[in-house]
């Protein structure tokens, strides 16, 4: 329940690839914010780079005091998506739903599912993202996930490159003055 820094970095990289910059962009993160390490890393990273981060999800899946991070919380998904440059769905973790945090998957889809109608509220050049795996028809419809606006496959590809770069930087030998002799 902490953070997922490599996912945050690859998401930022993907947004920059698609939109050129993160600064000044509205990024809507929708879903199970409470249990998402991805949401926390994206909130911190995106805001550091000048994005406005907004959140939406069932009240039972929004951490108390999350607004102290600077993210704005909406109770209605439509308010979060309106004018968004990026819409990111988060996986509903079925293994965590045994606690009754949402009444039913059907109700979640009805109130918070990302579908074509809701996406009409977003920016015309919106980028659709999801850290995966997707529960198609739950977090978002297949039409949205497979649309030209979707960067989900790019996220996967960029994940390999970003993580390889980080491993390289973390494992390479650092030069010291002793190595020069």
């Amino acid at each position: 329940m902490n953070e997922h820094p490599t996912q945050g970095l690859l998401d930022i990289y993907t947004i920059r690839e698609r939109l050129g910059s993160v600064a000044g962009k509205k990024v809507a993160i929708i879903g199970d914010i409470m249990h998402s390490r991805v949401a926390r890393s994206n909130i911190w990273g995106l805001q550091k780079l000048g994005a406005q981060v907004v959140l939406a999800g069932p009240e039972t899946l929004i951490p108390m005091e999350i607004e102290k991070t600077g993210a704005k919380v909406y109770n209605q998904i439509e308010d979060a998506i309106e004018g968004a440059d990026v819409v990111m769905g988060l996986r509903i973790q079925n293994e965590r739903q045994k606690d009754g945090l949402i009444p039913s998957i059907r109700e979640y889809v009805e109130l918070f599912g990302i579908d074509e109608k809701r996406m009409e509220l977003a920016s015309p050049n919106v980028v659709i993202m999801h850290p995966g795996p997707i529960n198609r028809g739950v977090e978002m419809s297949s039409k949205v996930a497979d649309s030209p606006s979707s960067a989900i496959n790019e996220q996967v590809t960029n994940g390999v490159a970003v993580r390889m770069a980080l491993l390289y930087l973390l494992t390479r030998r650092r030069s010291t003055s002793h190595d020069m002799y």
Side-chain angles (χ1 to χ4, degrees):
M1 289 179 49
N2 292 319
E3 296 179 19
H4 196 328
T6 60
Q7 184 71 41
L9 289 171
L10 76 90
D11 289 343
I12 289 167
Y13 182 77
T14 303
I15 293 167
R16 288 187 65 183
E17 264 190 333
R18 279 283 185 108
L19 300 177
S21 174
V22 173
K25 303 298 188 266
K26 178 181 178 184
V27 179
I29 303 175
I30 313 296
D32 184 354
I33 310 299
M34 172 94 62
H35 301 105
S36 176
R37 298 177 305 135
V38 172
R40 284 174 176 76
S41 289
N42 274 313
I43 289 168
W44 291 114
L46 291 165
Q47 288 185 138
K48 282 274 189 209
L49 295 173
Q52 173 196 12
V53 178
V54 300
L55 311 170
E59 285 185 43
T60 54
L61 298 179
I62 302 289
M64 292 176 63
E65 302 186 358
I66 192 76
E67 288 179 295
K68 286 184 178 180
T69 64
K72 181 159 178 51
V73 176
Y74 290 103
N75 295 323
Q76 304 290 319
I77 184 176
E78 293 82 3
D79 295 333
I81 290 178
E82 188 172 2
D85 300 292
V86 177
V87 174
M88 179 183 297
L90 297 174
R91 183 172 71 91
I92 289 298
Q93 301 177 25
N94 291 321
E95 63 273 18
R96 297 188 190 274
Q97 300 316 318
K98 295 174 188 148
D99 297 334
L101 297 174
I102 57 174
S104 70
I105 294 295
R106 194 178 108 238
E107 185 172 316
Y108 178 87
V109 172
E110 197 174 299
L111 297 174
F112 294 99
I114 302 168
D115 60 20
E116 304 80 54
K117 179 116 177 96
R118 287 181 168 135
M119 288 307 298
E120 291 174 6
L121 299 169
S123 166
N125 297 319
V126 68
V127 177
I128 298 161
M129 301 178 79
H130 193 295
I134 301 174
N135 294 308
R136 287 176 178 264
V138 178
E139 297 102 28
M140 67 178 58
S141 70
S142 288
K143 282 189 177 182
V144 170
D146 298 331
S147 74
S149 297
S150 176
I152 296 168
N153 288 335
E154 292 165 50
Q155 284 177 273
V156 174
T157 300
N158 290 341
V160 174
V162 167
R163 290 175 176 125
M164 284 175 63
L166 287 170
L167 285 170
Y168 171 77
L169 291 171
L170 291 170
T171 58
R172 72 182 182 146
R173 186 173 170 199
R174 295 179 189 241
S175 295
T176 64
S177 58
H178 301 292
D179 292 338
M180 301 180 93
Y181 296 107

